[in-house]
Each structure stands twice: as C-alpha cells, then as structure tokens.
Amino acid sequence: HRENFFVAFSKFEESCKEFNRARVIYKYALDHVPKDEAQRLYEMYSAFEKKHGTRETVEDVILSKRRFQYEEEIKENPLNYDVWFDYIRLEESKGIKERVREVYERAIANRPPVQEKRFYKRYIFLWINYAIYEELEVKNSERARQVWRACLDIIPHKKFTFAKVWIMAAHFEVRQKDLSAARKLLGVALGKCPKEKLFKSYIELELQLVEMDRCRKIYEKYLEFLPENCKAWVQYAELEGSLQEDERARAIFEMAVNQPTLDMPEMLWKAYIDFEIKCKAHKRVRALYDRLFKRTKHVRVWISRAQFEASLDDVKAARKVFEDADAYFKSNEEAGKEERVMLVESWLDFETNYGSNKSVKIVRDKLPRRVKNKRLVKGEDGSDAYWEEYYDYIFPDEDKKQNTFKLLEMARAWKKQKSTD
C-alpha cells in the first residue's frame, strides 16, 4: 500500500534525524497519492511538522489539510458554490495567484445544469469575485475585462439577466477611462434585456459626466419601456427643472398625467403641484387642483389645497376649501368617517393658527365622539363566526339625526298605543 510505504519511509528518515528528507517525502507523497487514500498521510505529516517544523511549515500542513477537505466536498458535489467560495478564500489568503486562478477557473467551469435564475445567483458571484480579484489584487485589467466579457457571454439573456453584472462591467470600463466601452456595454444591455436598474445606472453615469442630452435620450427610452413608472416621469421632469427648463419640465408632467395607467399617480400629481408652487405659478396650481378633484376626492387632496391657500395668507379661500370638503364628506357616507375625522382635525389646526376664538369653537364643535361598538364577523362559509369590538366616530350632525329618529319612533309608538286604547 503506497500510503503505508511513504509513512514508513518518512519515519525511517525522521529516526535518522534527517528531518528535511522526511519532509520532502511527505510532500512528494501528498502530491502523488490519491486524495481519498491520503487521510493517514495528512495526519502523520501534521504530527511531524508540529514536532519538528516551524510556524510556517505547520501552517502549510493545516492549509494542505483544508485543501484536502475542500477537494473531498467538491468531489461529492461540484455545484456546491459555498465550498468553492471557501476554497478560493483559502487560496487568496496564501497569495499565490496561479493557484487562486486555477481554483477560480475550476469553479466557474461548474455551470448550473438548469437555466433558471435562482440556480445562477450564487454561481454568478464566482465570476464577479474573479473579475474583482484580477483588477484589484493582481492589477491585470486586461484579464479582468476578459472575465467580465466571458461572464456576460454565459448568461442566457433571453431567459433572464443580471443587471448587476452589466453595471459592474460598465463601471470597470469607466475606471479604465474607456467611456465608449462603458456606454456600449450599457447600450447592449438595454437592447438585449432592458431593466429599470440598467436605465437608472446609465442615467446616473451620464449625469456624473454632465451629458444632459444623453440623459434625455435614455429617459425617453426608459419611459417608452415603462410608461406607467411615475418615479421615472418625476425624475425626468425634475432634471429639466434643475436645468431651468421649466417649459420642458411642464410638458413632461403633462405627458405623465395623461398616461392611461400609472403606478403611483398621487406621487406624480404632488410632484407636479410642488413644481408649479416652486415656479410661483399660483393660477396653474389652482387649475391643477381643480383637475385633480375631477379624478379623486381623497381627503389629503382637500387638506393639501387648503394648506396651499393658507400658505398664500388667503384665509378665506382656505376656509372655503375646508367647508366644501366637510360638506362633501358629510353627504358621502362611502368616503369613510376616518377621512372626515382627519379633515376636521386639520381644519381645527388651521383655525388655531389663522382663525379667531369663534371660528375655533365652530370647528371644535364639529369633532366627533369616539365610541366602542360591536359587530358580527362572518366566517368563510358565510355563517356567523364571532363578535368583535371596534371604535366608531359619531359626529354631532349624526347625533341630531339619531335623536330625531328616536322622537319619531316614540311618536309612532304613542300613536299606536292610543289607537289600541
């Protein structure tokens, strides 16, 4: 048995005080004996170095043992990327770049057998780490570029992509001062597999380079791809606003609010109104609020309109907004009592700051009572499940209605009793 032969040979040299010869035999054996047969050899070599070696040689033995363990785990499952990461970290700690590259190359050769993104997520980080290692540790920019290109080639972009890889590869080219290569990469990415993250990164790059015309072109492509994205519309308009291009910004906002579907319309309208307030175009602001009221009667819109009028010290106009809002929520029971409570509380704050004691009292008298009620909760099958407690709000005008209703009921009961007698 070869393992026993090498162990016996090394022990003989050790007994003859030939420690260097014994060490050479152990190392030769570890390089040539199959890993699955070398367990005892590692143990004997480790014991030998602890007895006769220096700190460095002991560390080498430990390193060799860990290499052996990683090799065994990889042999069992070459797609266990966590083991590959640990193995690479081990080699990087030693700093021998040839060995590090060898392990990286072996690791990336184990491509996931199924073209699904979830299987590629860990695998792709092997490529990313490899490229970063070549650029920052080895200082080999050309090899790093080759790694990025190879990584992009192995991703099946028609099925899925990794925006992170495209962006990091482009940033690498920027660090190499090759802006045309960076732009080409991001352009190819948007052509092959457009994603929101790619558009944002490309725009950010051009903003840093103060290339505003390029930013405009990318925003146009971005909004062609995602016309319902309110955040993109707002950012585009804000960019034009920051360049003092108010008419362009206004035109962008107009295009945005007229889109058939929007993911966050409330954010878009708020940004448009804030833009016009910043431009001190107060007539336009009021016109925007009027247009918005045709689309929604949300309580926050009413409050915002009133606060706008108050900010211009037009107390009468602000109070009129609150009165109209209160009338709307009073007549529209579907709007919800919580919204009306929010409105009255905002109105009270307004009167406290801008009104008189009389106006404050009028609004305070509109505040509701908070009462605890019970309601029957139905089960999934439609049967009665249980009673739950909840808080309700009773406004003063509702109290009056209830009192009138009770009087009518009492009158009917009295009349019925009279006719019976």
Side-chain angles (χ1 to χ4, degrees), residues 175-188:
R175 289 194 294 274
Q176 305 311 308
K177 300 179 181 177
D178 192 345
L179 294 179
S180 61
R183 285 179 175 132
K184 188 177 178 182
L185 269 171
L186 290 170
V188 170

Side-chain angles (χ1 to χ4, degrees), residues 269 273 276-277 280-293 305 308-314 317-318 321:
W269 279 95
I273 289 166
E276 294 294 5
I277 290 171
K280 297 184 179 179
H282 300 147
K283 284 185 179 178
R284 288 181 182 274
V285 175
R286 291 187 180 99
L288 279 174
Y289 272 118
D290 291 341
R291 284 168 64 188
L292 185 54
F293 278 130
R305 172 70 185 268
F308 163 70
E309 298 293 355
S311 69
L312 301 177
D313 293 327
D314 194 340
V321 173

Side-chain angles (χ1 to χ4, degrees), residues 323-378:
E323 287 168 354
D324 291 347
D326 188 49
Y328 168 76
F329 285 108
K330 191 189 294 184
S331 62
N332 192 344
E333 293 180 2
E334 292 179 4
K337 290 186 177 181
E338 286 80 4
E339 283 79 1
R340 192 179 175 195
V341 172
M342 192 187 299
L343 177 80
V344 175
E345 286 174 349
S346 295
W347 191 0
L348 184 59
D349 288 339
F350 162 77
E351 293 295 352
T352 304
N353 291 321
Y354 296 95
S356 61
N357 291 336
K358 184 181 177 183
S359 64
V360 170
K361 185 178 182 307
I362 290 169
V363 177
R364 187 173 283 123
D365 289 343
K366 292 177 179 288
L367 287 169
R369 289 185 297 112
R370 191 165 178 250
V371 295
K372 188 186 285 188
N373 281 340
K374 285 186 178 182
R375 60 186 164 202
L376 185 62
V377 178
K378 298 283 186 183

Side-chain angles (χ1 to χ4, degrees), residues 232-337:
W233 285 105
V234 170
Q235 287 169 348
Y236 189 12
E238 285 176 348
L239 172 67
E240 296 295 356
S242 68
L243 299 172
Q244 310 297 310
E245 295 280 359
D246 292 348
E247 288 306 315
R248 288 179 71 99
R250 195 168 283 124
I252 291 163
F253 274 124
E254 280 299 323
M255 285 174 65
V257 297
N258 288 316
Q259 292 299 311
T261 55
L262 293 166
D263 57 0
M264 290 189 287
E266 65 286 348
M267 184 195 84
L268 179 64
W269 279 95
K270 183 182 183 302
Y272 194 1
I273 289 166
D274 289 345
F275 167 75
E276 294 294 5
I277 290 171
K278 191 177 177 183
C279 294
K280 297 184 179 179
H282 300 147
K283 284 185 179 178
R284 288 181 182 274
V285 175
R286 291 187 180 99
L288 279 174
Y289 272 118
D290 291 341
R291 284 168 64 188
L292 185 54
F293 278 130
K294 290 176 183 176
R295 297 179 182 230
T296 178
K297 294 286 195 298
H298 196 280
V299 64
R300 292 187 187 280
V301 180
W302 288 103
I303 293 169
S304 175
R305 172 70 185 268
Q307 288 172 343
F308 163 70
E309 298 293 355
S311 69
L312 301 177
D313 293 327
D314 194 340
V315 176
K316 192 178 286 185
R319 187 174 288 123
K320 178 73 167 57
V321 173
F322 278 120
E323 287 168 354
D324 291 347
D326 188 49
Y328 168 76
F329 285 108
K330 191 189 294 184
S331 62
N332 192 344
E333 293 180 2
E334 292 179 4
K337 290 186 177 181

Side-chain angles (χ1 to χ4, degrees), residues 393-406:
Y393 296 96
I394 306 296
F395 285 88
D397 47 42
E398 290 177 321
D399 264 347
K400 287 175 185 175
K401 283 181 187 175
Q402 286 179 3
N403 290 338
T404 306
F405 181 72
K406 284 178 183 176

Side-chain angles (χ1 to χ4, degrees), residues 4-105:
N4 293 336
F5 167 74
F6 283 117
V7 169
F9 194 0
S10 300
K11 279 191 172 182
F12 166 74
E13 294 293 355
E14 184 182 355
S15 65
C16 297
K17 309 294 184 185
E18 293 286 353
F19 301 131
N20 286 336
R21 288 175 66 87
R23 184 175 289 112
V24 169
I25 292 165
Y26 273 124
K27 287 185 176 179
Y28 178 86
L30 289 171
D31 287 339
H32 290 82
V33 173
K35 298 282 189 292
D36 54 346
E37 298 176 13
Q39 184 63 42
R40 182 162 171 260
L41 200 58
Y42 272 110
E43 290 172 2
M44 296 303 296
Y45 183 33
S46 179
F48 168 81
E49 288 295 355
K50 285 176 183 176
K51 194 188 292 185
H52 303 293
T54 61
R55 184 179 174 182
E56 288 180 5
T57 57
V58 172
E59 284 178 357
D60 282 341
V61 175
I62 294 167
L63 193 69
S64 298
K65 194 170 184 179
R66 286 175 66 191
R67 276 198 194 108
F68 172 76
Q69 290 170 348
Y70 291 141
E71 290 288 351
E72 289 299 302
E73 289 182 55
I74 287 163
K75 194 182 292 180
E76 286 179 23
N77 181 12
L79 298 177
N80 188 340
Y81 300 119
D82 290 330
V83 175
W84 282 112
F85 281 117
D86 292 339
Y87 198 175
I88 289 163
R89 225 172 279 126
L90 175 71
E91 295 299 348
E92 284 180 342
S93 68
K94 286 300 292 178
I96 303 169
K97 61 185 179 183
E98 288 77 16
R99 287 194 69 96
V100 176
R101 276 178 181 158
E102 181 198 340
V103 180
Y104 267 123
E105 291 292 340

